[in-house]
Amino acid sequence: MTSRIGRMTLITVGVMALTIGGIWTGQGMNLMPGSFMTGSKMWLFIGLILAIVGIILIVFGLRRPGRGRTTK
């Protein structure tokens, strides 16, 4: 991603996904009671996957654009 807006969008969406994924993981692990998701393994796995996707988006957003890459 070379544009500044695109990179900031990736980082913002990544942080949101990581935060929501962390909350869902905590609820799935029964660390955050008070929801229908509390203690559910399904939400544990969904949260973990979403958190991993968030980390990947943040990494892609923070990467510096390549300089003068050419394809042959």
Side-chain angles (χ1 to χ4, degrees):
M1 184 80 36
T2 57
S3 73
R4 182 172 168 83
I5 294 173
R7 291 175 52 174
M8 289 304 294
T9 301
L10 281 177
I11 293 169
T12 302
V13 172
V15 168
M16 290 171 48
L18 180 60
T19 303
I20 294 168
I23 291 170
W24 289 354
T25 300
Q27 288 178 332
M29 292 175 65
N30 205 17
L31 297 175
M32 303 170 82
S35 169
F36 68 93
M37 295 184 270
T38 302
S40 172
K41 288 186 180 185
M42 179 182 79
W43 288 104
L44 169 65
F45 293 121
I46 292 172
L48 287 174
I49 291 168
L50 187 60
I52 291 169
V53 168
I55 292 169
I56 291 170
L57 290 175
I58 292 168
V59 169
F60 278 125
L62 292 175
R63 287 180 60 196
R64 293 184 182 183
R67 294 186 202 167
R69 290 186 182 174
T70 58
T71 56
K72 295 183 180 180

